[in-house]
Amino acid sequence: MNNQAFNPIAPLTGNDSYMIFSFDRVTLRFGYVNPLFQQFFGSSTSQSGFGAFVNELHEEDRALLESLLRFGDDKSIEGLVLRRIKFGQISYLKCNFYPILDTSQVFALAQDISDILEANNAVLKHNAQKNAILTILSHDVVGALSTASTLIDFAYGKASSQEMPKVQEILRVVQQICKSNIQMIRSFLQKEFLTSLSVPVVSVRNDIVDSLRKLVEQYKVMKTQLGVDVIFYSNQDQIFLQVDREKLIQVINNLISNALKFTPKGGSISVSAVETDRAIELKIQDTGVGIPDPMKHDIFSKFSASRREGLHGEKPNGIGLWVIKTMVEWLGAEISFQSKEGCGTTFVVSFLKQGRPR
């Protein structure tokens, strides 16, 4: 191949940012390829011709390019992004093609924009992550403040009837709720999060039986107010899990709160921790009204259309279960549910053990 056979824009050939080449769209032979093109595609493709270049493209892009290059009026093509696949790796090339009037020759520029796209995707991912965190904070803090407000009202009633031990127990629960939410907010605002926008997950070995039992005890304090019995069960006295305890408790707390919205007075909510050879499963099962079939397909979606008022008039915001699913994924777990209208709902958070296929 004679690299000097066709070089219409000589001043550009030394450019180290663009792959520059020309080809004959009839014979598909290269007229010129610059050093960067040869370095990127290798000597085999550079010597074989434009057909070899096309064959390295994604099948869909290959068909698109071949159709566009059938120039009927010699129009230029600019900003065309093509996917090149080599050894299973995808590169993104931004290409311009300029037909040379009254000839079958085409002059072309290509730039590898893979790093640019990766950086842009990282920015978009970080922005989405930041927005998710802010949404979770607003949702969960509002929920916690609402619970604390209800407990304070309850405490006032007990104080007026001189039931001081009960008042002390209620205030202890309010204090725990406040401390838990303050810690959650601080974890999101720590320096590592502000600089990297990565989700701060601090995993330590925890006895989740003990943690969940204490959480359920908080709801037992409010049994009279709630009109719903919240019970706890585990098949082991202790179950140890490497997990961010605060975020896990937030997930389970949100699932219990969600169950309370749709469980009538006199009903029950069961929280269980079960360890098997395959996984550790945390279940929240209620005897509520269940989820209608038409609502099941998108209940984990952000601003889901499947929102509905709670039995006691609680206003839906459409993000509660999306918040839960997002936090479950941060913890490296999976969430699923089963529900039958009129018979209740069960949510399952599963931590698969290492070495077990997902």
Side-chain angles (χ1 to χ4, degrees):
M1 180 181 67
N2 180 5
N3 281 355
Q4 302 302 320
F6 180 66
N7 185 4
I9 308 181
L12 289 176
T13 59
N15 191 297
D16 59 0
S17 299
Y18 291 91
M19 291 170 266
I20 301 174
F21 58 101
S22 66
F23 61 93
D24 188 303
R25 55 184 169 179
V26 176
T27 66
L28 299 182
R29 287 184 295 190
F30 282 126
Y32 174 83
V33 297
N34 74 340
L36 186 58
F37 183 99
Q38 296 183 53
Q39 178 183 342
F40 186 84
F41 282 96
S43 59
S44 177
T45 298
S46 301
Q47 295 173 5
S48 298
F50 185 67
F53 168 91
V54 173
N55 287 337
E56 291 191 17
L57 301 179
H58 187 283
E59 183 178 357
E60 294 175 357
D61 297 347
R62 191 185 312 154
L64 174 63
L65 180 60
E66 289 174 344
S67 66
L68 291 175
L69 285 177
R70 298 189 184 100
F71 298 104
D73 50 6
D74 289 333
K75 286 185 178 179
S76 299
I77 304 171
E78 295 186 326
L80 180 64
V81 177
L82 302 171
R83 291 164 290 179
R84 181 229 188 189
I85 303 176
K86 192 74 171 180
F87 305 121
Q89 299 294 317
I90 298 180
S91 301
Y92 293 85
L93 304 177
K94 185 176 181 180
C95 303
N96 296 347
F97 296 91
Y98 302 100
I100 307 302
L101 295 177
D102 301 323
T103 73
S104 60
Q105 302 290 328
V106 178
F107 176 78
L109 303 172
Q111 183 182 23
D112 182 5
I113 60 170
S114 303
D115 290 342
I116 296 174
L117 288 180
E118 184 177 347
N120 288 341
N121 288 336
V123 170
L124 291 174
K125 180 180 178 181
H126 286 166
N127 283 337
Q129 205 167 68
K130 176 195 69 178
N131 292 337
I133 288 169
L134 292 175
T135 302
I136 288 170
L137 283 176
S138 62
H139 173 271
D140 283 12
V141 170
V142 167
L145 290 175
S146 177
T147 301
S149 177
T150 300
L151 285 169
I152 290 170
D153 289 341
F154 190 32
Y156 274 125
K158 293 298 180 183
S160 63
S161 60
Q162 302 299 313
E163 295 184 48
M164 296 312 295
K166 198 68 176 178
V167 171
Q168 290 175 339
E169 179 65 16
I170 292 170
L171 292 177
R172 182 185 65 81
V173 173
V174 172
Q175 184 184 51
Q176 288 179 347
I177 291 172
C178 292
K179 284 183 177 179
S180 176
N181 279 269
I182 289 169
Q183 186 170 350
M184 179 180 68
I185 292 171
R186 284 177 175 167
S187 75
F188 283 134
L189 298 180
Q190 61 183 269
K191 183 179 178 181
E192 289 79 1
F193 168 62
L194 292 175
T195 55
S196 69
L197 285 179
S198 59
V199 178
V201 177
V202 183
S203 297
V204 296
R205 190 169 182 263
N206 285 281
D207 177 9
I208 58 173
V209 172
D210 180 65
S211 297
L212 294 179
R213 183 178 285 115
K214 289 178 179 176
L215 175 63
V216 169
E217 286 174 358
Q218 295 180 14
Y219 284 95
K220 287 187 177 296
V221 171
M222 299 183 287
K223 181 178 178 180
T224 302
Q225 284 287 102
L226 297 173
V228 174
D229 192 17
V230 183
I231 59 177
F232 176 71
Y233 162 79
S234 176
N235 69 338
Q236 306 284 346
D237 292 334
Q238 293 180 311
I239 298 177
F240 289 97
L241 181 65
Q242 193 82 12
V243 71
D244 187 319
R245 179 187 176 281
E246 295 301 322
K247 291 184 178 62
L248 176 62
I249 292 301
Q250 201 72 26
V251 165
I252 303 303
N253 195 37
N254 284 356
L255 286 170
I256 295 174
S257 297
N258 188 71
L260 286 169
K261 292 179 185 178
F262 301 103
T263 301
K265 291 186 181 298
S268 65
I269 298 170
S270 172
V271 178
S272 64
V274 175
E275 182 172 19
T276 67
D277 291 339
R278 177 179 176 274
I280 294 172
E281 292 186 341
L282 311 180
K283 295 184 180 181
I284 293 80
Q285 183 175 7
D286 65 58
T287 59
V289 296
I291 302 171
D293 288 341
M295 291 186 173
K296 292 179 179 178
H297 70 284
D298 72 339
I299 65 168
F300 290 118
S301 300
K302 191 174 184 181
F303 302 117
S304 167
S306 300
R307 67 185 75 180
R308 53 180 174 159
E309 278 194 359
L311 298 182
H312 312 293
E314 299 93 341
K315 297 298 182 183
N317 53 31
I319 65 171
L321 288 173
W322 171 82
V323 165
I324 290 169
K325 185 173 187 294
T326 299
M327 295 187 75
V328 166
E329 290 173 348
W330 288 351
L331 295 173
E334 300 173 349
I335 186 168
S336 59
F337 75 97
Q338 292 181 335
S339 185
K340 184 176 181 181
E341 195 168 5
C343 297
T345 302
T346 300
F347 282 93
V348 183
V349 178
S350 302
F351 291 86
L352 297 183
K353 294 184 176 180
Q354 288 187 346
R356 298 286 181 175
R358 287 191 176 272

